[in-house]
Amino acid sequence: MTDTNSQPSGGIMTIPGPNEPMPVPRPTLVDGVTPREDGRTDLIGLPKTRIAELFEAAGLDKKAAKLRAKQVYHWLYHRGVTEFEAMTDIAKTMRPWLAERFVVGRPEIVQAQHSSDGTRKWLLRTADNHDYEMVFIPDADRGTLCVSSQVGCTLNCRFCHTGTMRLVRNLTVGEIVGQVMLARDALGEWPKSASDTRLATMAGLDEDEDEGSYSADGRLLTNIVMMGMGEPLYNFDNVRDALKLVMDGDGLALSRRRITLSTSGVIPQIERCGQEISVNLAVSLHAVTKEVRDEIVPINKKYGIEDLLQACADYPGASNARRITFEYVMLKDKNDSDEDARELVRLLKKYKLPAKVNLIPFNPWPGAAYECSTPERIKSFSNIVFEAGISAPVRTPRGRDIDAACGQLKTAAKKMSRAEIDRLYAEKDKEVVEELAQLPE
Ligand code: SAH
Ligand code: SF4
């Protein structure tokens, strides 16, 4: 996604198909670590305990390994340092020892684009040559980073450009948290050191940060939404571990209240998400009847609307203070009638959901089979929901000129004709149904 105006404002196999190049096999993860050609280990994405284990395996005694891991962890995730030489509380002799064995990586940037409305999009590349994207959307009162969880997507929602890509692979923990770290690099937003603070004070600058302290005040990057490429609940373990690093006070230290995970409705994972990370939930509802949702969000054939709403009602942590966001893309003559709006209200009330509805004007892409609803239709839909006491803001599309808007993210795939897209959807539908049939109920 990339439209805001308010909140939320492995090993997966590759299925090569006729429309996608054969992907290069991904490097095999060994205990969560991706091997590098130079034999060193990239620490990004690893938790403190794993870093300590690696230090111990490299020769430090247990106690020293634990202490060093604590220090390095702080420098890595809290201070954004990428060179061991800059880790000033680590003995000078120790630093080359670390640099010989370990690195602190970042995703490779292939292209950085700036929209006329301030939105920024980065095209990133994995070490095994797959492209994915992240988007930063600045607003007056917040700055939101839209993070990808997969290269491509397992699912195939008909209105989403990413849906026309096959799933290439899940992103690793390092590739997910690496996006947030890269954004902080680009925005110059790592906490400053005590010496920087002293210098700033001496220079008469207004600088009130303590060493390594971090607050959302005055920051550009204040919120994270898991709404880039991919279905985060199909890569939940990696998304969870990455977000734990983001939420850790000694890590990137961003509050769970500022993080939103968006799902197309993978019901069995919704509860885990609430229990294990308790971030804000957004659900891509997009339709109120089985017929229409089956067509535009095909996962609905497996997990229907009413079961999905029940899972939302049971979501741990949802309350009036932390409402669940229901995303609803406005598609002309498909899901945008007054009757649809009234049915939406009825359903949200039936399940007593602490809800808000985000109405997303459809962002077109070449070959898409839908059109955006008219502004008058969107207004009328919004009014009906609003008058029933449910907030229903219409999102302003952002970054359209750089293809950064909701559902436009898609890098690796080539442009396809309508017939090719239809063929791909038919194949993907079959695969999705087969894959879903293997999941536990
Ligand atoms: N896979 C997750 C998160 C990524 S999509 C999910 O589906 O929720 C982020 C949001 O953008 C979703 O609500 C999605 O339905 C919406 N979206 C996708 N394509 C779009 C398009 N072309 N125009 C408007 N919104 C779109
Ligand atoms: Fe995947 Fe979300 Fe796009 Fe559906 S809307 S195809 S789940 S990225």
Side-chain angles (χ1 to χ4, degrees):
M1 91 128 212
T2 358
D3 303 327
T4 57
N5 86 14
S6 53
Q7 245 288 98
S9 223
I12 290 272
M13 66 295 167
T14 295
I15 316 159
N19 299 308
E20 294 293 326
M22 279 286 280
V24 184
R26 63 170 309 193
T28 324
L29 284 170
V30 184
D31 290 337
V33 174
T34 310
R36 289 166 48 94
E37 273 175 13
D38 65 7
R40 295 187 292 172
T41 302
D42 189 347
L43 295 177
I44 287 297
L46 302 181
K48 213 178 287 176
T49 46
R50 183 75 187 119
I51 297 175
E53 281 169 18
L54 290 172
F55 287 179
E56 202 181 335
L60 296 186
D61 71 47
K62 205 177 181 71
K63 209 169 148 219
K66 206 173 158 199
L67 173 69
R68 294 292 173 227
K70 189 172 185 298
Q71 292 170 309
V72 168
Y73 181 93
H74 179 84
W75 285 110
L76 245 58
Y77 297 116
H78 199 75
R79 304 292 296 277
V81 162
T82 52
E83 301 294 333
F84 294 104
E85 217 26 72
M87 302 183 181
T88 47
D89 60 353
I90 293 179
K92 274 209 163 77
T93 47
M94 182 78 201
R95 298 179 208 162
W97 183 90
L98 286 166
E100 272 164 34
R101 291 162 180 81
F102 303 99
V103 293
V104 181
R106 289 286 190 268
E108 180 194 343
I109 300 178
V110 181
Q111 193 186 22
Q113 285 173 282
H114 225 124
S115 160
S116 53
D117 69 12
T119 300
R120 296 168 74 170
K121 179 168 100 165
W122 289 268
L123 173 60
L124 309 175
R125 185 161 292 163
T126 65
D128 56 337
N129 276 318
H130 298 303
D131 293 350
Y132 60 110
E133 292 173 330
M134 72 170 190
V135 177
F136 177 69
I137 311 125
D139 277 301
D141 60 340
R142 73 180 70 210
T144 307
L145 188 71
C146 181
V147 173
S148 292
S149 56
Q150 300 181 311
V151 181
C153 187
T154 334
L155 300 172
N156 54 343
C157 305
R158 289 292 190 275
F159 51 84
C160 171
H161 206 196
T162 310
T164 66
M165 279 178 84
R166 286 171 183 280
L167 174 70
V168 178
R169 72 165 168 83
N170 282 336
L171 291 174
T172 63
V173 179
E175 288 158 352
I176 298 168
V177 73
Q179 295 172 60
V180 187
M181 303 183 76
L182 202 60
R184 276 212 181 145
D185 294 346
L187 300 167
E189 288 210 313
W190 292 103
K192 296 190 176 64
S193 69
S195 55
D196 292 340
T197 309
R198 273 193 301 276
L199 285 174
T201 312
M202 279 157 61
L205 298 173
D206 184 15
E207 183 58 79
D208 57 2
E209 274 178 322
D210 296 321
E211 176 162 14
S213 73
Y214 205 84
S215 85
D217 297 346
R219 297 266 164 205
L220 291 172
L221 200 179
T222 59
N223 291 54
I224 291 179
V225 292
M226 294 303 305
M227 294 191 187
M229 294 166 84
E231 168 49 59
L233 293 189
Y234 271 150
N235 186 17
F236 182 65
D237 290 357
N238 289 354
V239 167
R240 175 201 56 208
D241 292 351
L243 291 180
K244 279 186 173 169
L245 296 168
V246 172
M247 296 187 294
D248 183 3
D250 193 32
L252 284 100
L254 207 76
S255 158
R256 69 188 65 232
R257 292 173 189 278
R258 294 182 170 274
I259 301 175
T260 300
L261 184 147
S262 175
T263 179
S264 57
V266 188
I267 293 179
Q269 307 285 7
I270 289 181
E271 190 185 351
R272 283 187 68 199
C273 179
Q275 273 165 357
E276 296 177 35
I277 43 179
S278 189
V279 294
N280 301 318
L281 185 68
V283 171
S284 294
L285 192 62
H286 302 317
V288 289
T289 64
K290 175 166 169 51
E291 191 200 348
V292 177
R293 197 163 192 266
D294 275 359
E295 176 192 325
I296 65 179
V297 187
I299 194 181
N300 195 64
K301 292 176 196 158
K302 170 84 176 175
Y303 304 121
I305 296 177
E306 303 249 352
D307 290 345
L308 176 58
L309 295 177
Q310 185 59 52
C312 292
D314 296 340
Y315 187 69
S319 64
N320 276 329
R322 288 185 79 193
R323 286 176 290 167
I324 296 177
T325 303
F326 290 90
E327 293 160 282
Y328 200 99
V329 63
M330 299 301 297
L331 304 174
K332 189 175 183 183
D333 300 333
K334 183 51 73 179
N335 63 356
D336 63 350
S337 69
D338 286 353
E339 202 188 334
D340 289 319
R342 283 190 284 270
E343 177 62 3
L344 178 60
V345 168
R346 190 190 70 80
L347 285 169
L348 296 178
K349 298 225 157 172
K350 176 176 172 194
Y351 288 89
K352 299 190 175 59
L353 286 158
K356 64 182 281 192
V357 176
N358 262 343
L359 299 175
I360 319 174
F362 170 64
N363 288 309
W365 40 272
Y370 302 104
E371 275 178 64
C372 185
S373 310
T374 62
E376 298 73 35
R377 191 87 297 284
I378 299 178
K379 187 86 204 118
S380 170
F381 194 106
S382 170
N383 284 345
I384 291 172
V385 181
F386 184 74
E387 275 158 21
I390 301 167
S391 129
V394 182
R395 288 208 209 148
T396 319
R398 300 287 303 270
R400 271 188 173 172
D401 54 339
I402 56 169
D403 281 352
C406 270
Q408 292 185 315
L409 301 188
K410 176 182 180 236
T411 42
K414 23 173 218 189
K415 293 214 168 97
M416 283 185 257
S417 69
R418 189 67 250 152
E420 279 177 312
I421 292 172
D422 285 345
R423 200 165 52 239
L424 177 86
Y425 277 147
E427 284 167 22
K428 255 186 115 172
D429 255 356
K430 212 169 133 255
E431 284 159 10
V432 168
V433 168
E434 281 165 10
E435 196 177 314
L436 290 173
Q438 291 164 21
L439 285 173
E441 286 301 318

